[in-house]
């Protein structure tokens, strides 16, 4: 596969047709925003050149204690609607830059600031500042939410979007250093270590503290998601024959599909509000689908 090869409308339509014929759990559709993009550009949208992965760790096992604690959790949860109140910031668009790690980190802190202050504070945090001013990531080539939302948030803090607006390209640090910064007091992997998360621990972190940033393996079919509960579908129409990449997103809630009975996570993406279900997607829960339950990060912002 040449990095300059483009994702044509015909290839996309063929992939969509095959996905929808193979299963009924979720729906696929073609998106104009992907047409004509090169493999290199699509790779950036799914995590960046340095986020290619060969496998993901298994989720931590569910002990008897965790199973008992699970029985006390709400059957469903959504931070976009808690007693009629929304605590989640708007969906954004990372464009062709591999900045998903930064968007997921910023979105986590934005939501948790809203929760901690009962929506008194509703900042939109600068992703460009993190990309241009931090040595803890590779800018548009990728990075990790643990270092971005955690280490950078604790050591340097986040400024608001207007202090350094998003450009979607690599560049020098241009942040006005007099801008207010939002710091975090602590950060960790859910479960305490990389690969230590699982369904119940994520549910508890969500309900008790707020949305969590998550990494998962992106396959070609995911790009075409339009609704339903996503589960990876192998297709013969394979635009990207290489290994999948690690994409960072924000888990904002969970629930159960009425039609299929399948459990799911409610996840905020950073591909714009025109993608998926108004910028969101549902992913199969409880089976570590695409590794989403084994690599989750949370941080505590200081208002």
């Amino acid at each position: 596969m040449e990095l300059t090869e483009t994702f044509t409308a015909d290839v996309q339509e063929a992939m969509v047709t095959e996905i929808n014929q193979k299963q009924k759990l979720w729906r696929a559709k073609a998106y104009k925003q992907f047409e004509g993009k090169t493999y290199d550009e699509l790779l950036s949208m799914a995590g960046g050149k340095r986020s290619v992965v060969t496998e993901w760790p298994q989720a931590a096992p569910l002990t008897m204690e965790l199973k008992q604690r699970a029985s006390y959790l709400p059957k469903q949860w959504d931070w976009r609607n808690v007693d009629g109140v929304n605590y989640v910031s708007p969906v954004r668009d990372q464009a062709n830059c591999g900045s998903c790690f930064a968007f997921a980190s910023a979105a986590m802190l934005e939501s948790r600031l809203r929760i901690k202050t009962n929506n008194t504070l509703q900042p939109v945090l600068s992703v460009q500042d993190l990309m241009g001013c931090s040595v803890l990531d590779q800018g548009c080539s990728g990075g990790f939410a643990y270092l971005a939302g955690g280490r950078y948030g604790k050591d340097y803090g986040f400024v608001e979007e207007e202090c350094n607006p998003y450009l979607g390209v690599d560049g020098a640090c241009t942040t006005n250093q007099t801008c207010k910064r939002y710091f975090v007091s602590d950060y960790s992997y859910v479960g305490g270590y990389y690969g230590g998360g699982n369904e119940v621990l994520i549910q508890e972190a969500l309900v008790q503290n707020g949305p969590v940033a998550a990494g998962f393996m992106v396959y070609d079919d995911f790009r075409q998601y339009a609704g339903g509960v996503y589960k990876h579908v192998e297709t013969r129409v394979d635009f990207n024959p290489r290994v999948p990449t690690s994409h960072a997103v924000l888990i904002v809630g969970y629930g159960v599909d009425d039609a299929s009975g399948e459990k799911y996570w409610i996840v905020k993406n950073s591909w714009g509000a025109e993608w998926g279900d108004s910028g969101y997607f549902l992913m199969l829960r409880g089976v570590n689908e695409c590794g989403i339950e084994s690599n989750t990060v949370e941080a505590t912002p200081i208002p």
Side-chain angles (χ1 to χ4, degrees):
M1 170 66 66
E2 295 293 331
L3 294 182
T4 55
E5 186 172 339
T6 58
F7 190 49
T8 66
D10 289 343
V11 170
Q12 185 171 200
E13 288 290 354
M15 185 180 292
V16 166
T17 298
E18 186 174 355
I19 292 169
N20 288 333
Q21 287 177 343
K22 280 190 168 183
Q23 51 82 51
K24 300 299 180 185
L25 191 59
W26 61 280
R27 302 181 305 282
K29 77 173 188 179
Y31 289 92
K32 283 286 186 184
Q33 72 187 88
F34 300 132
E35 276 184 27
K37 288 193 183 297
T38 64
Y39 168 72
D40 194 30
E41 290 171 332
L42 293 176
L43 180 64
S44 289
M45 292 183 68
K49 302 179 184 68
R50 300 194 182 184
S51 298
V52 175
V53 292
T54 54
E55 61 181 280
W56 212 257
Q58 295 295 314
L62 289 177
T63 63
M64 290 302 297
E65 179 190 352
L66 282 177
K67 290 178 180 178
Q68 183 178 25
R69 279 157 49 180
S71 65
Y72 296 102
L73 288 165
K75 297 302 180 185
Q76 59 183 21
W77 191 267
D78 187 348
W79 279 109
R80 299 172 301 174
N81 183 2
V82 178
D83 296 328
V85 180
N86 176 28
Y87 294 94
V88 182
S89 54
V91 171
R92 302 178 68 187
D93 189 351
Q94 69 185 77
N96 294 337
C97 175
S99 50
C100 57
F101 70 95
F103 277 99
S105 300
M108 172 182 60
L109 298 178
E110 289 163 1
S111 291
R112 289 186 171 212
L113 281 168
R114 290 181 177 214
I115 293 165
K116 288 178 72 70
T117 66
N118 197 26
N119 271 333
T120 301
L121 289 178
Q122 297 187 19
V124 173
L125 302 177
S126 172
V127 168
Q128 197 67 40
D129 170 72
L130 174 61
M131 293 171 57
C133 303
S134 173
V135 298
L136 300 172
D137 61 76
Q138 293 78 47
C140 282
S141 293
F144 300 94
Y146 180 80
L147 294 175
R151 177 71 180 276
Y152 188 75
K154 188 170 186 178
D155 290 354
Y156 301 96
F158 281 71
V159 298
E160 295 193 32
E161 173 68 8
E162 56 265 29
C163 186
N164 193 345
Y166 185 63
L167 300 175
V169 295
D170 290 325
C173 178
T174 59
T175 299
N176 181 340
Q177 297 306 312
T178 65
C179 290
K180 172 182 172 61
R181 289 189 176 269
Y182 296 88
F183 292 87
V184 303
S185 58
D186 59 78
Y187 62 98
S188 65
Y189 287 108
V190 173
Y193 59 93
Y194 177 73
N198 60 34
E199 178 187 9
V200 176
L201 292 173
I202 295 170
Q203 287 178 287
E204 288 183 331
L206 271 171
V207 174
Q208 295 169 7
N209 303 318
V212 300
F216 71 102
M217 297 173 74
V218 172
Y219 297 91
D220 269 357
D221 62 319
F222 174 74
R223 190 182 305 114
Q224 313 306 143
Y225 175 87
V229 181
Y230 174 77
K231 176 179 171 58
H232 172 51
V233 177
E234 293 282 353
T235 66
R236 292 167 296 176
V237 183
D238 193 1
F239 178 67
N240 173 12
R242 295 172 61 181
V243 293
T245 56
S246 170
H247 186 47
V249 289
L250 187 75
I251 301 178
V252 303
Y254 60 86
V256 179
D257 183 66
D258 291 334
S260 66
E262 296 284 4
K263 300 185 297 181
Y264 59 76
W265 298 112
I266 305 169
V267 192
K268 178 185 179 183
N269 202 357
S270 52
W271 290 353
E274 301 302 313
W275 180 87
D277 183 3
S278 299
Y280 286 80
F281 66 96
L282 307 180
M283 177 170 275
L284 201 63
R285 171 167 62 97
V287 295
N288 199 29
E289 180 66 26
C290 298
I292 197 168
E293 289 160 10
S294 60
N295 180 22
T296 49
V297 174
E298 62 176 335
T300 304
I302 302 172

